[in-house]
Amino acid sequence: MKGRFHQDYPASVDRLWRVFGTPDYPAQKYRAQGVTAFAIREFTRSDTQILLALDRTYTLPAERIPALVKKFLPARQTLHYDSRWERLSPALARFTLDIRPDDLPVTVRGEGELRDTGSAASRLTIGFEVSVQAALVARPAEAMILALIERSFRADHAFTLRYLADNA
């Protein structure tokens, strides 16, 4: 199942590159969203690349899990995030994100780009592909996972907007 959405920022790619490349930005972002069970495995930044590897323990809200899926999906999961940003030009960066849950037949792949839309504005376009290898529950599980990813990225966006305002 595929999903695609975008986020607009009142900041250039250059400004956002500096923000995303700030060593404490990922931890601040997750804590601000109420996430406390995470560990950063790797964080490196250069002028052309940002790498983030993170493990996050997540408890799925029971009311959001379709009944058919509940039988196969543990409520508590550890998710392994591997994110790679590449700066292609002063006005363009691309990224990939892989999310792997423990012990589930699920793959999540995200790809996107951050592109300047003005002198102090940019747009992040994100596409995700979610695949569940379990015939009976694949479609409802993929839809649920995609909805959780979109909600998470909306929360990331809101945090980044606040971060930009607070660190102008």
Side-chain angles (χ1 to χ4, degrees), residues 93-132:
R94 289 207 175 114
F95 77 93
T96 59
L97 172 64
D98 292 300
I99 304 171
R100 297 175 324 281
D102 279 345
D103 303 321
L104 288 176
V106 175
T107 56
V108 177
R109 173 77 170 184
E111 294 184 0
E113 71 176 27
L114 178 64
R115 182 180 294 273
D116 278 344
T117 58
S119 62
S122 58
R123 172 171 277 188
L124 180 66
T125 302
I126 306 162
F128 279 97
E129 185 165 356
V130 177
S131 178
V132 174

Side-chain angles (χ1 to χ4, degrees), residues 145-167:
I145 293 167
L146 199 54
L148 289 170
I149 289 169
E150 184 171 359
R151 189 179 79 201
S152 176
F153 268 82
R154 290 190 190 287
D156 288 356
H157 181 248
F159 173 79
T160 302
L161 293 176
R162 285 190 308 275
Y163 188 96
L164 288 167
D166 292 347
N167 295 281

Side-chain angles (χ1 to χ4, degrees), residues 61-82:
E63 69 277 4
R64 293 185 183 239
I65 303 173
L68 183 61
V69 176
K70 281 183 187 180
K71 297 175 185 178
F72 304 98
L73 183 64
R76 191 167 173 86
Q77 273 298 311
T78 298
L79 305 175
H80 307 282
Y81 293 69
D82 291 294

